Amino acid sequence: MAEAAAQDAQMAAPNPSSKVSKAGWYTLFLVSTMQAMSLLDRQILSILATNIRDDLGIGDAELGLLYGTVFALFYALFSLPLGRLADGWIRTKLLAICITIWSLSTGMAAFAGGFAMLALSRLGVGIGEAAAQPGGNSLIFDTFPKNRRGIAMAAMAIAVAIGLGASMILGGVAAEWWDTRYASVPAPLDLAGWQFAFLVAAAPGLILAFLLYKLKEPVRGAMEGIPTKPDPHPFRASGAVLTSVTPGLNWWMLWRRDAGAKQWLANISALAFILILCISIISWAQGFSPRPGLELGVGTLDPHLLQWFVVGFGLFVIFNLFQSFKLSDRPTYAVVLSPSLLLLMIVGGLQSAINYGVMGFTPSFIIRTYELSPAEAGLQFGLLAAALGILGPVIAGPLTDWVNTRMPGVGRVLLALLALGVSPIFGIWTFSADDAGSFYLRFTLYSLILTMWMPPVYAMMYDLVLPRMRGITSSLYIVIMTLLGLGIGPYAVGMISDANGGDLAGAIIAINLVSPVIVVLLVIVAIRVRRDEATLVDRARAAGEDI
């Protein structure tokens, strides 16, 4: 009955408005809190890395795999069917279910005694969090009018900062408190401090899941004046997406859809190219930074092989998704295959490689370089990162809306270009600091500049697609961002560090070498973004969209 009522509501006449309702602000609060919880559970591994490293006897490259690669595989894969489900089902209930899954998976890490259990925990967190961004962004864009979306995206960016900061503070303080309290007596369940910290991080998500489950579903497409017909079979469509993109199963879907010889040839050729590329990189990586095999309980596995298997898997998933669009949803294919949109996704992915590489190892850098305890580093850096992450978007959100009013389309690109073009210089300067005080001062300037890219880039991406496509668009971005950001950023920093005797400063600085590519891509976006946004509806109609 609830699902039917939500679908009937979606058929109501649209009522675009320039104001945000109380329900809209409450939705933004819950979705932003969810975003913060997502980053808390995802990022807490970074502040606990030193203790985990000592307890489990693994290196920085393996921590990079746990922090990024293992999480990335299932996060990226399941974001696609869950994003499609967010486009057709009740988003509030979907998010409540997924938050419960990732919270329980976070708690599972408390009982890890080796790499395998930690990897299983990260797998569950990845699957649960896969719906957060598609479902959350879709809800926000159906409750906030276009002229207020910069502020909404700023709130999401603030939530990211709060989640990151909270993970540092909570993880470091909780772990040290537990280890100190039970230094001379047996701890309950024989848990170490870092294991207890995972339990603490997991608990709030269950409360948030209940609140989201009770949240009223907004009318889909109302803010654009584009009524969206209810999807009669959202779960069937979601399952079809999962089958279409999963390597191996995708061939069954090609057969079911009567794909022609050209589609089969393109698919096999793409797979062959990806395999050759990944095998070549594995060979190079094994020579650049040799690593001992990972102990999985049933044997060992080369970490470089695991890393590039995940990347190759993700690349093939992306190819399969576009091929699926072309065969079964031509309007989405025509809309998403927009040069501006794809370039913005790549920009976000490359910048995420820098962000996740930096944030994944900065706590370890502070602990090792300035000889601070995990609790000291977590409290100091966590508070600073959270404060700066709030201040930056507070400035960038309204600024995004203001520049878009003065220079429609182009203004937001120029703001992102300024932030991402200048930030690497400050990054190199920051991680060359001689003491903790100098580091924190320099990091303040670095972070304020760096946090200004998310509101304009995110607002542009979701303005380049139709309302019914925002979930799957968000999922596609997640796959690209995950492969380039989580999948490569922490792994690259960890590998470079291991290859250079644990030099984390040099490794973190090295990841900024992708910045010139980001600048070039944003210049191209600035040239054509207004054209791509203006032709959005025409391209969808020409491909068969009934609007």
Side-chain angles (χ1 to χ4, degrees):
M1 292 296 292
E3 184 174 352
Q7 290 178 347
D8 289 341
Q10 288 189 16
M11 293 302 293
N15 182 29
S17 171
S18 61
K19 296 182 179 180
V20 183
S21 66
K22 291 182 179 179
W25 288 114
Y26 180 59
T27 299
L28 179 62
F29 170 74
L30 289 185
V31 171
S32 298
T33 303
M34 175 191 67
Q35 184 81 336
M37 287 301 308
S38 170
L39 268 293
L40 168 63
D41 290 347
R42 183 188 314 176
Q43 184 74 20
I44 194 170
L45 182 67
S46 66
I47 191 64
L48 303 174
T50 298
N51 292 341
I52 294 172
R53 192 173 187 261
D54 293 340
D55 275 6
L56 303 185
I58 58 177
D60 286 334
E62 286 73 26
L63 285 169
L65 287 170
L66 283 169
Y67 175 75
T69 310
V70 175
F71 172 90
L73 174 61
F74 290 90
Y75 182 61
L77 177 62
F78 279 87
S79 70
L80 295 170
L82 291 176
R84 178 60 183 86
L85 191 56
D87 282 336
W89 194 51
I90 304 172
R91 292 161 288 186
T92 53
K93 289 179 173 49
L94 172 63
L95 292 175
I97 293 169
C98 288
I99 291 172
T100 302
I101 292 172
W102 94 56
S103 296
L104 293 176
S105 297
T106 300
M108 184 192 303
F111 305 98
F115 180 89
M117 180 62 81
L118 275 177
L120 187 61
S121 167
R122 297 292 287 175
L123 178 157
V125 173
I127 293 175
E129 292 191 4
Q133 192 164 310
N137 286 331
S138 181
L139 281 175
I140 287 176
F141 273 65
D142 277 331
T143 53
F144 271 70
K146 188 173 182 177
N147 67 327
R148 305 301 298 277
R149 287 173 182 166
I151 291 176
M153 292 298 98
M156 295 291 277
I158 290 171
V160 170
I162 292 175
L164 290 173
S167 70
M168 308 286 177
I169 299 168
L170 185 148
V173 172
E176 183 162 299
W177 175 85
W178 184 267
D179 285 336
T180 301
R181 180 177 178 84
Y182 295 103
S184 57
V185 296
L189 301 178
D190 200 28
L191 295 178
W194 62 267
Q195 293 171 310
F196 170 72
F198 278 114
L199 284 179
V200 175
L206 301 178
I207 300 172
L208 179 60
F210 175 78
L211 296 176
L212 272 165
Y213 189 83
K214 293 294 185 180
L215 180 67
K216 183 180 179 181
E217 177 81 357
V219 178
R220 199 186 304 267
M223 288 299 164
E224 278 75 19
I226 304 175
T228 302
K229 296 179 181 179
D231 188 336
H233 304 292
F235 287 92
R236 183 186 303 174
S238 176
V241 169
L242 180 60
T243 307
S244 297
V245 301
T246 304
L249 295 178
N250 70 295
W251 294 324
W252 182 68
M253 288 301 290
L254 285 177
W255 174 76
R256 280 198 61 190
R257 290 169 174 167
D258 297 322
K262 287 185 178 180
Q263 285 86 1
W264 281 99
L265 179 61
N267 193 272
I268 299 301
S269 298
L271 177 60
F273 173 79
I274 292 169
L275 285 174
I276 293 171
L277 175 66
C278 291
I279 290 171
S280 300
I281 297 177
I282 290 170
S283 178
W284 169 83
Q286 288 170 335
F288 177 78
S289 179
R291 299 299 309 154
L294 297 172
E295 293 290 343
L296 301 180
V298 293
T300 61
L301 178 67
D302 187 297
H304 296 303
L305 178 62
L306 175 60
Q307 163 69 25
W308 292 102
F309 166 79
V310 171
V311 173
F313 187 97
L315 290 174
F316 196 44
V317 163
I318 293 174
F319 181 87
N320 289 338
L321 179 65
F322 276 102
Q323 194 169 49
S324 175
F325 285 159
K326 190 172 184 179
L327 291 170
S328 63
D329 190 351
R330 296 286 299 188
T332 298
Y333 180 78
V335 169
V336 174
L337 206 66
S338 156
S340 295
L341 178 59
L342 293 178
L343 290 177
L344 284 169
M345 289 182 177
I346 295 172
V347 165
L350 291 175
Q351 185 58 42
S352 294
I354 296 175
N355 290 3
Y356 281 115
V358 170
M359 296 305 294
F361 284 98
T362 293
S364 294
F365 164 80
I366 295 172
I367 292 169
R368 296 185 203 176
T369 305
Y370 306 123
E371 298 181 351
L372 300 178
S373 70
E376 290 173 328
L379 186 61
Q380 295 172 10
F381 183 67
L383 286 173
L384 179 63
L388 295 175
I390 293 171
L391 181 59
V394 163
I395 298 171
L399 185 58
T400 295
D401 291 335
W402 182 83
V403 296
N404 191 49
T405 302
R406 298 297 184 273
M407 296 177 286
V410 178
R412 295 185 294 194
V413 183
L414 295 179
L415 179 59
L417 185 59
L418 175 64
L420 300 185
V422 173
S423 59
I425 299 172
F426 285 86
I428 295 170
W429 179 55
T430 297
F431 286 91
S432 301
D434 293 328
D435 56 77
S438 299
F439 172 83
Y440 291 138
L441 177 62
R442 296 180 185 188
F443 187 84
T444 299
L445 298 175
Y446 176 48
S447 182
L448 285 176
I449 295 170
L450 188 58
T451 53
M452 297 183 73
W453 74 273
M454 284 182 66
V457 169
Y458 277 51
M460 282 188 289
M461 281 197 303
Y462 300 117
D463 279 347
L464 286 166
V465 298
L466 296 177
R468 79 162 182 90
M469 302 172 185
R470 285 184 180 135
I472 197 67
T473 298
S474 183
S475 296
L476 175 60
Y477 172 66
I478 284 173
V479 176
I480 294 173
M481 180 271 290
T482 301
L483 284 177
L484 295 177
L486 270 175
I488 293 180
Y491 165 78
V493 171
M495 183 176 66
I496 295 170
S497 172
D498 284 339
N500 291 277
D503 180 13
L504 279 177
I508 291 171
I509 290 172
I511 199 69
N512 283 279
L513 292 176
V514 302
S515 295
V517 178
I518 293 174
V519 170
V520 171
L521 295 181
L522 282 173
V523 170
I524 298 173
V525 171
I527 294 172
R528 64 168 302 134
V529 66
R530 294 183 66 181
R531 183 195 327 167
D532 288 340
E533 187 172 354
T535 61
L536 166 61
V537 174
D538 290 338
R539 282 183 283 121
R541 284 176 177 158
E545 186 76 2
D546 183 18
I547 54 174

